[in-house]
Amino acid sequence: MKAEVSLAPLVHTSSGSFGMSVPVEVGDAVYRVPRPMSALEGPVVLTPEVEASADGRAVLLRMDRWIVLHVFAKTTLPITAPDMATAARAGREFQADPGIGWQSSEADLYAWAAAWAERANTAGGGEQ
């Protein structure tokens, strides 16, 4: 049985709906492409990386590179996960950690991400 994942250009929160776009250079133009998102919790979403193809002729949604994004703070966790499930786990653990938050300094976010990746690699025996 295959999972069905819905990615939308808008996320609906108790504070209203919010969408984002991402600039992607394709050929001689920069396109502002709607960022596909899947709600995790409140204004926190999971989103695949969006980039130009190697030949610069297409826009790619990278299902092998997921990020956790707070849409109102416009802040991402400095973690790129290999799949949506891993990104969701990182996002939930970040949200549950009382020692860190979306307004934390960049250095603190990187330190949290490094510690999370170390725990995830140790627990899972793989690389994040």
Short mmCIF file of all heavy atoms in Angstrom, two decimals, residues 79-83 86-87 89 116-118 120-121 124 126-128:
data_model
loop_
_atom_site.label_atom_id
_atom_site.label_comp_id
_atom_site.label_asym_id
_atom_site.label_seq_id
_atom_site.Cartn_x
_atom_site.Cartn_y
_atom_site.Cartn_z
N ILE A 79 18.89 21.36 9.20
CA ILE A 79 18.95 19.92 8.98
C ILE A 79 18.32 19.67 7.61
O ILE A 79 17.26 20.20 7.32
CB ILE A 79 18.14 19.14 10.03
CG1 ILE A 79 18.76 19.31 11.42
CG2 ILE A 79 18.01 17.67 9.67
CD1 ILE A 79 17.89 18.77 12.54
N THR A 80 18.97 18.87 6.80
CA THR A 80 18.35 18.39 5.57
C THR A 80 18.18 16.90 5.74
O THR A 80 19.16 16.17 5.86
CB THR A 80 19.23 18.70 4.34
OG1 THR A 80 19.44 20.11 4.27
CG2 THR A 80 18.55 18.24 3.06
N ALA A 81 16.92 16.47 5.77
CA ALA A 81 16.61 15.07 6.03
C ALA A 81 16.47 14.30 4.72
O ALA A 81 16.03 14.87 3.72
CB ALA A 81 15.33 14.97 6.84
N PRO A 82 16.80 13.01 4.74
CA PRO A 82 16.74 12.21 3.51
C PRO A 82 15.31 11.79 3.13
O PRO A 82 15.10 11.29 2.03
CB PRO A 82 17.58 10.98 3.85
CG PRO A 82 17.45 10.85 5.33
CD PRO A 82 17.37 12.26 5.85
N ASP A 83 14.36 12.01 4.03
CA ASP A 83 12.97 11.67 3.73
C ASP A 83 12.05 12.48 4.63
O ASP A 83 12.49 13.10 5.60
CB ASP A 83 12.72 10.16 3.88
CG ASP A 83 13.14 9.63 5.23
OD1 ASP A 83 12.67 10.18 6.26
OD2 ASP A 83 13.93 8.68 5.27
N THR A 86 11.86 11.42 8.49
CA THR A 86 12.98 11.89 9.31
C THR A 86 12.83 13.37 9.61
O THR A 86 13.08 13.82 10.73
CB THR A 86 14.32 11.60 8.60
OG1 THR A 86 14.40 10.20 8.34
CG2 THR A 86 15.50 12.03 9.45
N ALA A 87 12.42 14.15 8.62
CA ALA A 87 12.19 15.58 8.83
C ALA A 87 11.09 15.79 9.87
O ALA A 87 11.20 16.66 10.75
CB ALA A 87 11.82 16.27 7.52
N ARG A 89 10.27 13.75 12.31
CA ARG A 89 10.82 13.40 13.62
C ARG A 89 11.67 14.54 14.18
O ARG A 89 11.53 14.92 15.34
CB ARG A 89 11.64 12.11 13.51
CG ARG A 89 12.00 11.53 14.86
CD ARG A 89 12.62 10.14 14.78
NE ARG A 89 13.99 10.22 14.29
CZ ARG A 89 14.42 9.67 13.15
NH1 ARG A 89 13.60 9.02 12.37
NH2 ARG A 89 15.68 9.79 12.80
N TRP A 116 21.12 16.73 17.50
CA TRP A 116 20.02 15.87 17.04
C TRP A 116 20.55 14.86 16.01
O TRP A 116 20.24 13.68 16.08
CB TRP A 116 18.89 16.70 16.43
CG TRP A 116 17.76 15.82 16.00
CD1 TRP A 116 16.72 15.39 16.77
CD2 TRP A 116 17.59 15.22 14.71
NE1 TRP A 116 15.92 14.55 16.03
CE2 TRP A 116 16.42 14.43 14.77
CE3 TRP A 116 18.30 15.25 13.52
CZ2 TRP A 116 15.96 13.70 13.68
CZ3 TRP A 116 17.84 14.52 12.44
CH2 TRP A 116 16.68 13.75 12.52
N ALA A 117 21.34 15.34 15.06
CA ALA A 117 21.89 14.45 14.03
C ALA A 117 22.76 13.37 14.65
O ALA A 117 22.71 12.21 14.25
CB ALA A 117 22.67 15.25 13.00
N GLU A 118 23.54 13.73 15.64
CA GLU A 118 24.40 12.75 16.33
C GLU A 118 23.54 11.70 17.01
O GLU A 118 23.81 10.50 16.89
CB GLU A 118 25.30 13.45 17.35
CG GLU A 118 26.23 12.52 18.09
CD GLU A 118 27.25 11.84 17.19
OE1 GLU A 118 27.65 12.43 16.17
OE2 GLU A 118 27.65 10.70 17.52
N ALA A 120 20.42 10.89 16.23
CA ALA A 120 19.72 10.13 15.18
C ALA A 120 20.65 9.13 14.51
O ALA A 120 20.26 8.00 14.23
CB ALA A 120 19.12 11.08 14.14
N ASN A 121 21.89 9.53 14.27
CA ASN A 121 22.86 8.63 13.64
C ASN A 121 23.23 7.47 14.57
O ASN A 121 23.40 6.35 14.12
CB ASN A 121 24.11 9.39 13.22
CG ASN A 121 23.87 10.26 12.01
OD1 ASN A 121 22.92 10.05 11.26
ND2 ASN A 121 24.71 11.25 11.82
N GLY A 124 19.97 5.25 14.83
CA GLY A 124 19.58 4.58 13.61
C GLY A 124 20.70 3.89 12.87
O GLY A 124 20.46 3.14 11.93
N GLY A 126 22.69 5.19 10.88
CA GLY A 126 22.86 5.74 9.54
C GLY A 126 23.25 7.19 9.58
O GLY A 126 23.49 7.75 10.64
N GLU A 127 23.28 7.78 8.44
CA GLU A 127 23.71 9.16 8.32
C GLU A 127 22.53 10.06 8.01
O GLU A 127 21.70 9.73 7.19
CB GLU A 127 24.73 9.28 7.19
CG GLU A 127 25.65 10.45 7.34
CD GLU A 127 26.76 10.39 6.31
OE1 GLU A 127 27.42 9.36 6.21
OE2 GLU A 127 26.90 11.39 5.59
N GLN A 128 22.41 11.19 8.68
CA GLN A 128 21.33 12.17 8.43
C GLN A 128 21.88 13.37 7.71
O GLN A 128 22.95 13.76 7.87
CB GLN A 128 20.69 12.62 9.75
CG GLN A 128 20.13 11.49 10.55
CD GLN A 128 19.01 10.74 9.85
OE1 GLN A 128 18.20 11.34 9.17
NE2 GLN A 128 19.04 9.44 9.95
#
